[in-house]
Amino acid sequence: MNLALPRLLQLASPALPVGAYTYSQGLEWAVEAGLVHDQATGEQWIAGLLEHAVGRFEAPLAACLQRAWAAGQTAEVERLNADFLASRESSELRAETVQMGYSLRRLLHDLEDFPVPPTLDAMPEVAFPTAWALASAVWEIPTVDSLTAYLWSWCENQVMAALKSVPLGQAAGQRLLLALGGRIPVLAEQAIELPEAAWSNFAPGLALASSSHETQYSRLFRS
């Protein structure tokens, strides 16, 4: 019985209890500043981050993490986890990945028959991609499918944040997901092959938005 697809759908589900819905990753401030105010500007903001930051840093890093978990390369897992934590450019972004990583680690402990390796518990702080990659490796999900779902989940959360904060209608949200989803397969394939020297999370707009969100007066989201 091939359970890779059902397990992947479970991992990518909005029902996964990691608190992703509480974060906007600076999008809420972009709305407050007037940078995002409709479907077109929402797509521009989200697609820019997807292609130039998440797709070129988080996705290839998650691919390497999945391979390292599968091969039992403890030191490599710890190195990549530390690199991701160090890459978060604001206290909110760092707190987000640590909280989501902690929640996913706790969930994996609660699942029946999931073999949690000692390495996961030995790390004081677990980034979300690290825990996600472990689940993908244990459940033998093909890397390209894992990355596709990871990127989709990120896009879906961003669109949901836009629906609440712009606000946008449900039809606009589905048009956004249709447009963003069309970009994901190529990004997932590229991420698998992208050498580490070419990884980049250079997104000054995100850093500024996230930092500004920390002192934003009225907020719906935690980042």
Side-chain angles (χ1 to χ4, degrees):
M1 183 184 300
N2 184 1
L3 292 175
L5 180 56
R7 295 292 181 260
L8 179 61
L9 293 174
Q10 181 178 0
L11 192 58
S13 170
L16 193 74
V18 295
Y21 68 93
T22 64
Y23 299 101
S24 81
Q25 296 198 349
L27 178 60
E28 186 174 27
W29 179 84
V31 173
E32 177 75 13
L35 300 175
V36 175
H37 51 81
D38 57 14
Q39 179 185 329
T41 52
E43 181 180 345
Q44 184 180 25
W45 178 271
I46 299 170
L49 292 178
L50 174 67
E51 294 198 351
H52 300 296
V54 181
R56 291 188 61 83
F57 185 76
E58 289 189 41
L61 182 139
C64 286
L65 276 166
Q66 184 170 339
R67 289 192 289 265
W69 279 121
Q73 298 172 338
T74 300
E76 181 68 355
V77 168
E78 293 174 341
R79 181 185 73 85
L80 292 168
N81 183 72
D83 283 354
F84 188 77
L85 292 175
S87 75
R88 303 300 84 190
E89 294 182 301
S90 72
S91 62
E92 284 190 351
L93 291 177
R94 193 181 193 284
E96 174 182 349
T97 196
V98 169
Q99 181 272 306
M100 291 176 61
Y102 171 83
S103 297
L104 185 51
R105 174 168 60 180
R106 184 175 60 184
L107 174 64
L108 296 179
H109 273 288
D110 289 341
L111 297 179
E112 294 181 0
D113 300 324
F114 190 94
V116 178
T119 302
L120 190 68
D121 291 329
M123 289 184 285
E125 294 180 314
V126 176
F128 180 65
T130 304
W132 172 288
L134 171 63
S136 299
V138 169
W139 286 332
E140 298 181 349
I141 298 169
T143 306
V144 67
D145 294 339
S146 173
L147 294 186
T148 298
Y150 186 93
L151 294 172
W152 172 264
S153 294
W154 182 87
C155 286
E156 186 174 37
N157 188 62
Q158 287 284 284
V159 169
M160 291 303 297
L163 290 181
K164 296 175 183 177
S165 57
V166 172
L168 297 175
Q170 295 293 330
Q174 290 302 308
R175 288 192 292 268
L176 274 175
L177 286 173
L178 194 66
L180 295 166
R183 302 170 184 257
I184 289 176
V186 172
L187 290 173
E189 293 283 357
Q190 290 176 345
I192 292 176
E193 303 296 335
L194 194 66
E196 187 168 352
W199 296 1
S200 173
N201 69 331
F202 181 69
L206 171 61
L208 291 171
S210 180
S211 298
S212 298
H213 185 268
E214 293 175 357
T215 57
Q216 188 171 325
Y217 176 70
S218 178
R219 300 184 295 177
L220 294 173
F221 298 94
R222 297 168 66 183
S223 74

